Amino acid sequence: MEAAVVTVSTGVMKPLLSKLFKLLLEEHGKLKGVRHDAKFIGDELRSMKAALEVLADEEQLEPAMRIWRDDVRELSYDMEDCIDVFVAHVDHEPDGRTTLKKFVDMLKKPKHRHQTASEIVKLKARATQASERHKRYNIIRPTPCISSCSIDPRLPALYAEVDELVGIDGPKDDIIDWFQWEATSTQPQVLSIVGSGGLGKTTLANQVYHAMESHFSCAAFVSVSRNPDMRKTLRDIAGGVGFSDYTLDDHVQQLISKLRQYLKDERYFVVIDDVWSADAWETIRLVLLNNNHGSRIITTTRNTEVASCCSSGGGHVYRMEPLAFDDSKRLFFRRAFGPEDLCYPHLEKVSNEILRKCSGLPLAIITVSSLLADQHAEDEWKRVLAAIGSALANDSGADKMTKILSLSYFDLPHHLRACLLYLSIFPEDSAIWKQHLIHKWIAEGFIHEKQGRSRYEIGETYFNELINRSLIQPVGATFSQVESCQVHDIILDFITCKAAEENFVTKFSDVEDGHNSCYRVRRLLVGNNSNEKVAISAPILSHVRSLIIYAHAPQVSLLTFPVLRVLDLGKCWWLEDHHVANIEKLLLLKYQCLANVTLLPKKFGELQYLETLGIANTRILEMPLAVTSLQRLASLNVHYHISFPDGMIGKMQSLEDIETLGVHSYEQGKSLQEFSQLTKMRRLKVQLGMFELWEGTGQIEDLHGYLGTLVSSCNLRHLNISKLSSDVLAVKTYFPLSLESWCPTTPCSLQELHITYCYIDKVPNWMSLLRNLRELEIYVVSVRPEDVRILGSIPTLLILKLKTFNGTDGRILIHGFSNLKYFHLELLYCGTSLEFEEGSMPRLEHLELEFRVHQMDCLNGSLNFGIQHLSALRKVEVCIFGNFGNKDNAMAGLECCFGKSIGILIEADIEMLPNCSSFLLQYGNVAYGNVACEHYTKMPLLKYHQRSSHGQGHWKLAIHVPEP
């Protein structure tokens, strides 16, 4: 069955038709008047649905078509509101009647019967009018616009705008150097340049092409485009390499066969520019990857998955980076004021702010600087600065930039267009948390569950695809799951304008100024970071589905928004309890996030559709019992200070994730056992308090057991256990967690496990049985050879973050880890020898090391760690702490310290690695800090420690940390 998702152009047409069908099916012929009208509307909308889907892919529409499309889209919204409100009142009746009985009884009530029947009659009239216009205009399929053709003839001119040779030499040299590294290989080698639209990929590829083409017997530079005609593409390749023995009637397979035969004895160099899909590449590769004469191929793409496909089998993905600030400034002023690169003093500050918003994107820099060419008035520069991120795409001078971004937008599937435009609700430069974003997408109806996969998991694939297409930027990611993202200001500008154009998201400032469309507002964004009170009220807002407010002190009556599905007040820091007094009347609410309030309303449990509740930024101290009535609640985001009454957690049967559950007492620890009753639980973050201060180590041992139930009796996939820092209380005795008694379910579905700020005594044997674990972060007291063996045998492990005091007997020998891609190791004390065995970590791409060195014996005989054996490394970051002199003269001490010598040796080994293109070496001075030269023989001390509990002695392994 087709997923009934909400899209930009068709609105809620798909879910509406599904609901109408269900409503008619359940009514069983009763109340024929309403049933007849609802069926008529459904039939009419169904006939128009196909036309809407065709129009959704057209960049330019005739005015009559656009008006008709928008009218039908808005009709679908209003019809769904009518049905949802009525059904919500049916579901809200708290008795034992069946849904059908409640439905019929509700319609028999004069008030509800009249309101529903009257609204459906109006909607029927609108559907009739739309249907008549549909027939009158013969809206079936419009004439394809340029973007639907195989190759847009304007593309070369558009991309020429980015053809500025600023900051290009470094990337060009990097690519040429990589090909030289592979010079001994006779097999065709593919390098794929990937990056967002307008970053200069074509310019870079063109520069490399001209620098290298003379070294090959034949060469070609061919553009593919978004909807390629593969016959023309293959003919373009043929023309470039000098092959003409084909006819215009040859089909794709004939062209492939002839080109393969021609190229089999040639040493060729081919650039395939602007590849949009793996399918297009799979056709092209049949021609190119067919000899062993040292041929070389470059592809460019906006999609990282396509880049990986192109370079599979020993190739290389070159991620193009934005311009450095100095290069950005040079390009900006060259375009604005000519070759003199002038910079007028009164424009220095505003130009720097403009460049910050352009974030090194050449397309953005060229577009903005062209708008300001020969403009010297500071006010005009400030006007353009204010427009970036919200309205620049509407400027006639930015049409080329808008065209390039439109290509990426219309290449998206319909469901991803809605997900992308929804990002316009977030302020510019803000970090957008993936978890919060996906739950909003779910509440909006952009995501529907598929067999075997939850809506959240599907939402993660949507999120990752937007990253792969270079439309959003990951924040702080390595090889782990990206937890947050940002939107480039230029892309934010485009999607903000597009969202307003489609009546998808409306700014309240536009409503106040009368600049919004003639249609009802569906999603309202209120942004005001000042301390002024914002009064939110207008008749046009009665059908708002999403209300997102960033104002500190909003003046809003929730009764103004009867069909609200998403309510985000999480940044309203002056919100008060009375502002949410009537929240239980928002019967359709699915997502709610609050700030500052001290209590939830007593009738809060009546929100039967609520799926996501965020109260982490509130002053609530205890979770109200009414929450257990929220039978659809799937996601709960709370502050770790909020306590849960005994027995409450086990009653929330629909819960899938909780962040962050605080455990500050023995009684709260016991509540962890209740998670065994939650079969849908997938993600959990637990914050432990200072359990060292509990009375009796018996309670601490019990806590270890309670934590173990989280992996032994749940279906958790992501588990994060952290502990409040003990430094605040100057506690010098730590009780490590013992995981050996934990017994995971078989098979265990755990994919990510983080245990941080509390040490474990050793790596348990059962960890090698975690066949789905891909990410692990742990703090271990002392790393044993057995610990390395266990961790190295986890076949699915991709990411390992390890923090330890030392290695047992002063040594950590790394072996195994066949699939690991990212490894972070922090050694808190010196005196440990670290060594990577030959053949260990064969797929490791990113290595981070942090260790202490004061003198030669701090390394215990190891000087370079065997890094030369890690041939797959692409990125290395090393931080060395040592004695560099006093605080005021640290640099002088660095020049003569032993740590500097070690850094030079490591750097020399890394320079010999064939694939490593990024190396960062940092030094930290501990001579005036609190870390002394403590070797493994002195630190840490493991011993049994006695504490009293009700007059009885309890023995427990503890770590004693001596003063440095």
Side-chain angles (χ1 to χ4, degrees):
M1 183 177 177
E2 185 181 20
V5 295
V6 177
T7 65
V8 177
S9 298
T10 62
V12 293
M13 180 70 77
K14 292 180 181 179
L16 171 60
L17 292 173
S18 177
K19 289 176 182 179
L20 281 171
F21 176 78
K22 183 179 179 181
L23 184 148
L24 297 173
L25 188 67
E26 290 183 350
E27 209 179 346
H28 296 296
K30 294 182 172 59
L31 302 160
K32 293 181 180 179
V34 172
R35 181 180 186 277
H36 180 269
D37 288 345
K39 184 178 184 302
F40 174 84
I41 295 173
D43 291 341
E44 292 297 308
L45 294 180
R46 195 172 291 107
S47 68
M48 292 182 275
K49 171 175 166 287
L52 281 180
E53 291 176 339
V54 170
L55 296 180
D57 289 324
E58 301 304 321
E59 296 184 44
Q60 301 293 331
L61 290 177
E62 295 178 2
M65 285 185 180
R66 172 173 288 277
I67 292 172
W68 176 83
R69 183 204 66 176
D70 292 349
D71 285 349
V72 175
R73 178 193 64 213
E74 297 302 313
L75 171 62
S76 73
Y77 277 122
D78 291 339
M79 186 67 194
E80 187 187 48
D81 286 345
C82 176
I83 294 174
D84 285 353
V85 169
F86 183 79
V87 173
H89 280 101
V90 172
D91 290 342
H92 193 255
E93 293 293 318
D95 54 36
R97 291 174 294 162
T98 65
T99 300
L100 177 61
K101 176 64 175 169
K102 290 189 218 177
F103 182 85
V104 175
D105 289 348
M106 183 68 71
L107 279 179
K108 289 180 179 178
K109 296 179 180 180
K111 176 182 177 182
H112 293 289
R113 183 175 66 242
H114 175 74
Q115 289 178 344
T116 304
S118 176
E119 185 66 23
I120 288 181
V121 167
K122 294 177 183 177
L123 292 169
K124 178 184 176 183
R126 288 171 57 186
T128 302
Q129 293 173 2
S131 179
E132 290 174 351
R133 275 186 291 153
H134 177 247
K135 296 172 184 175
R136 185 162 62 247
Y137 295 137
N138 192 27
I139 301 175
I140 300 175
R141 179 178 292 274
T143 302
C145 66
I146 290 175
S147 68
S148 297
C149 298
S150 59
I151 292 185
D152 187 340
R154 296 178 295 172
L155 278 177
L158 294 174
Y159 283 106
E161 292 297 319
V162 193
D163 191 15
E164 291 285 342
L165 304 183
V166 174
I168 206 76
D169 289 340
K172 181 181 75 172
D173 291 343
D174 288 342
I175 292 174
I176 294 174
D177 287 346
W178 184 83
F179 280 127
Q180 289 176 344
W181 268 105
E182 302 295 327
T184 58
S185 173
T186 60
Q187 294 297 313
Q189 296 294 317
V190 181
L191 181 142
S192 188
I193 304 172
V194 65
S196 61
L199 198 54
K201 300 182 297 296
T202 301
T203 301
L204 174 58
N206 193 39
Q207 288 295 304
V208 176
Y209 177 76
H210 288 302
M212 294 180 59
E213 63 175 324
S214 62
H215 301 288
F216 297 84
S217 61
C218 57
F221 191 111
V222 177
S223 292
V224 179
S225 84
R226 183 160 64 95
N227 298 306
D229 178 346
M230 293 311 301
R231 292 173 64 199
K232 184 180 185 307
T233 299
L234 295 175
R235 289 197 296 266
D236 288 344
I237 294 174
V241 298
F243 174 68
S244 58
D245 189 15
Y246 64 87
T247 70
L248 294 178
D249 294 329
D250 285 347
H251 54 68
V252 169
Q253 289 303 321
Q254 289 174 315
L255 289 168
I256 290 174
S257 178
K258 291 180 179 181
L259 275 168
R260 283 172 66 93
Q261 183 66 25
Y262 177 79
L263 292 174
K264 69 176 184 178
D265 296 321
E266 298 287 340
R267 185 172 184 266
Y268 56 81
F269 179 39
V270 174
V271 176
I272 306 297
D273 184 43
D274 202 25
V275 183
W276 286 80
S277 70
D279 289 341
W281 168 250
E282 288 300 326
T283 300
I284 294 170
R285 72 182 294 273
L286 294 175
V287 170
L288 300 178
L289 304 183
N290 190 37
N291 70 23
N292 58 354
H293 298 297
S295 298
R296 298 295 180 254
I297 302 160
I298 291 177
T299 66
T300 72
T301 180
R302 306 183 187 194
N303 192 317
T304 56
E305 287 189 350
V306 173
S308 297
C309 176
C310 293
S311 59
S312 61
H316 181 62
V317 174
Y318 184 85
R319 178 169 288 280
M320 194 166 183
E321 300 293 336
L323 291 177
F325 186 81
D326 289 342
D327 288 332
S328 298
K329 197 167 188 176
R330 190 177 303 113
L331 174 60
F332 182 80
F333 283 105
R334 181 181 298 178
R335 296 284 298 194
F337 299 121
E340 295 83 5
D341 294 351
L342 295 174
C343 178
Y344 296 92
H346 71 289
L347 300 176
E348 178 76 19
K349 182 178 180 181
V350 66
S351 65
N352 287 342
E353 292 180 7
I354 289 174
L355 288 171
R356 182 186 63 80
K357 284 180 172 288
C358 291
S359 301
L361 186 68
L363 173 66
I365 296 169
I366 291 168
T367 299
V368 176
S369 58
S370 297
L371 293 174
L372 295 170
D374 298 321
Q375 296 282 344
H376 299 87
E378 185 178 9
D379 288 346
E380 178 62 15
W381 284 56
K382 288 182 176 179
R383 183 195 69 79
V384 172
L385 171 64
I388 298 176
S390 60
L392 185 65
N394 290 331
D395 195 301
S396 59
D399 58 339
K400 292 183 175 67
M401 179 188 72
T402 301
K403 176 62 182 177
I404 290 178
L405 295 177
S406 291
L407 287 172
S408 289
Y409 174 76
F410 282 100
D411 186 59
L412 290 171
H414 293 177
H415 62 274
L416 280 184
R417 295 180 197 176
C419 294
L420 177 65
L421 293 196
Y422 200 74
L423 291 165
S424 64
I425 69 172
F426 296 97
E428 60 182 289
D429 301 324
S430 64
I432 303 168
W433 287 100
K434 176 182 71 173
Q435 192 171 351
H436 300 169
L437 174 63
I438 292 176
H439 286 304
K440 284 190 172 85
W441 284 347
I442 292 172
E444 286 280 358
F446 301 160
I447 304 171
H448 278 254
E449 192 169 347
K450 296 179 182 177
Q451 187 173 5
R453 304 182 71 188
S454 69
R455 290 178 298 173
Y456 187 87
E457 289 172 329
I458 295 169
E460 284 187 304
T461 66
Y462 291 0
F463 183 87
N464 292 334
E465 187 165 356
L466 291 176
I467 289 177
N468 290 336
R469 290 171 177 265
S470 305
L471 290 169
I472 60 178
Q473 302 165 328
V475 175
T478 52
F479 287 95
S480 61
Q481 289 284 328
V482 179
E483 297 302 328
S484 60
C485 71
Q486 281 186 315
V487 183
H488 192 289
D489 282 351
I490 297 302
I491 294 179
L492 178 62
D493 185 292
F494 172 80
I495 64 176
T496 297
C497 294
K498 193 70 177 176
E501 175 188 322
E502 300 285 352
N503 195 37
F504 193 76
V505 175
T506 305
K507 292 184 177 180
F508 185 65
S509 57
D510 290 339
V511 176
E512 289 182 305
D513 298 337
H515 295 157
N516 58 298
S517 71
C518 60
Y519 297 110
R520 289 168 166 168
V521 176
R522 304 298 176 181
R523 299 170 186 88
L524 182 65
L525 172 63
V526 183
N528 183 351
N529 293 322
S530 69
N531 294 333
E532 298 177 5
K533 293 185 176 181
V534 179
I536 305 169
S537 178
I540 201 172
L541 305 182
S542 62
H543 282 257
V544 167
R545 299 169 151 248
S546 291
L547 177 62
I548 299 98
I549 302 179
Y550 295 108
H552 293 319
Q555 290 183 319
V556 56
S557 170
L558 296 180
L559 297 180
T560 309
F561 309 98
V563 297
L564 207 60
R565 275 84 165 174
V566 174
L567 176 63
D568 189 350
L569 307 178
K571 300 298 182 183
C572 299
W573 304 115
W574 292 359
L575 196 70
E576 298 179 10
D577 293 354
H578 66 84
H579 287 129
V580 296
N582 296 308
I583 202 167
E584 72 278 359
K585 298 185 183 299
L586 304 180
L587 299 181
L588 304 182
L589 201 61
K590 295 182 178 181
Y591 179 103
Q592 176 184 289
C593 186
L594 303 175
N596 197 53
V597 298
T598 60
L599 294 171
L600 293 175
K602 291 182 179 180
K603 296 183 178 181
F604 183 78
E606 296 182 8
L607 295 173
Q608 291 302 301
Y609 295 155
L610 193 68
E611 297 175 342
T612 300
L613 175 62
I615 52 175
N617 293 332
T618 66
R619 292 180 289 159
I620 296 171
L621 297 178
E622 182 174 342
M623 188 64 65
L625 289 172
V627 172
T628 59
S629 300
L630 304 174
Q631 293 304 306
R632 288 182 173 90
L633 188 65
S635 177
L636 186 57
N637 186 12
V638 299
H639 194 278
Y640 61 82
H641 283 312
I642 295 179
S643 62
F644 288 74
D646 186 38
M648 173 186 254
I649 292 175
K651 295 179 180 178
M652 295 188 282
Q653 292 294 307
S654 294
L655 269 183
E656 296 178 12
D657 68 78
I658 295 183
E659 182 181 352
T660 305
L661 182 72
V663 177
H664 301 284
S665 68
Y666 179 68
E667 292 301 321
Q668 290 177 341
K670 290 172 64 177
S671 67
L672 295 174
Q673 299 174 95
E674 297 178 36
F675 282 97
S676 63
Q677 304 171 42
L678 305 183
T679 58
K680 296 182 179 180
M681 199 71 189
R682 296 293 182 268
R683 185 184 300 265
L684 175 63
K685 183 175 182 180
V686 177
Q687 178 80 64
L688 303 177
M690 291 300 302
F691 56 78
E692 291 91 351
L693 303 180
W694 291 3
E695 285 299 322
T697 55
Q699 291 187 351
I700 298 176
E701 291 175 346
D702 289 344
L703 173 64
H704 293 184
Y706 299 150
L707 290 169
T709 62
L710 299 178
V711 295
S712 64
S713 57
C714 297
N715 294 318
L716 283 173
R717 298 184 182 177
H718 307 270
L719 176 59
N720 188 317
I721 300 172
S722 61
K723 181 173 173 291
L724 290 174
S725 173
S726 59
D727 294 339
V728 177
L729 301 176
V731 173
K732 292 300 177 183
T733 301
Y734 304 89
F735 288 85
L737 285 175
S738 178
L739 310 187
E740 198 63 54
S741 62
W742 296 12
C743 187
T745 57
T746 304
C748 183
S749 55
L750 200 62
Q751 298 175 0
E752 294 183 16
L753 176 61
H754 298 259
I755 304 177
T756 58
Y757 300 101
C758 52
Y759 290 84
I760 64 175
D761 55 0
K762 62 180 180 179
V763 177
N765 286 310
W766 54 257
M767 206 166 270
S768 63
L769 303 177
L770 301 178
R771 298 303 177 180
N772 292 302
L773 190 69
R774 65 185 183 214
E775 180 171 342
L776 176 65
E777 182 178 12
I778 51 176
Y779 291 21
V780 186
V781 174
S782 181
V783 175
R784 311 169 302 154
E786 184 69 6
D787 296 335
V788 176
R789 183 194 66 78
I790 294 170
L791 295 175
S793 65
I794 303 175
T796 55
L797 194 63
L798 300 177
I799 299 153
L800 175 60
K801 301 177 184 179
L802 188 60
K803 186 172 183 177
T804 185
F805 288 105
N806 56 269
T808 302
D809 296 328
R811 191 181 187 201
I812 298 178
L813 182 62
I814 302 294
H815 54 88
F817 300 95
S818 59
N819 290 303
L820 199 70
K821 291 191 174 182
Y822 172 86
F823 180 44
H824 174 99
L825 174 64
E826 181 178 357
L827 288 166
L828 293 174
Y829 284 84
C830 56
T832 293
S833 166
L834 172 66
E835 185 174 349
F836 296 92
E837 278 191 349
E838 187 173 358
S840 65
M841 299 185 175
R843 291 180 173 83
L844 190 70
E845 298 182 21
H846 190 172
L847 173 66
E848 290 184 4
L849 297 177
E850 183 176 324
F851 56 92
R852 278 74 178 160
V853 174
H854 306 84
Q855 51 197 0
M856 176 63 77
D857 61 352
C858 291
L859 293 175
N860 201 19
S862 175
L863 294 180
N864 61 10
F865 312 125
I867 290 178
Q868 71 274 13
H869 297 143
L870 306 175
S871 59
L873 274 179
R874 297 181 183 273
K875 183 176 183 180
V876 179
E877 298 174 72
V878 177
C879 185
I880 302 174
F881 286 91
N883 293 323
F884 304 148
N886 60 49
K887 185 175 182 179
D888 297 326
N889 195 26
M891 292 306 299
L894 174 61
E895 292 304 318
C896 60
C897 78
F898 180 71
K900 178 68 179 295
S901 302
I902 297 301
I904 293 173
L905 291 174
I906 293 174
E907 185 173 6
D909 283 335
I910 290 174
E911 287 179 351
M912 299 303 295
L913 295 173
N915 298 306
C916 189
S917 59
S918 176
F919 174 55
L920 176 63
L921 179 61
Q922 296 177 302
Y923 296 93
N925 192 1
V926 298
Y928 53 89
N930 60 358
V931 180
C933 183
E934 294 285 355
H935 288 204
Y936 73 95
T937 55
K938 303 178 184 178
M939 186 56 206
L941 302 177
L942 298 180
K943 60 175 67 173
Y944 285 93
H945 181 73
Q946 185 179 25
R947 301 190 70 181
S948 62
S949 174
H950 305 293
Q952 298 181 357
H954 292 267
W955 293 92
K956 177 67 179 176
L957 181 67
I959 309 172
H960 289 260
V961 183
E963 295 290 345

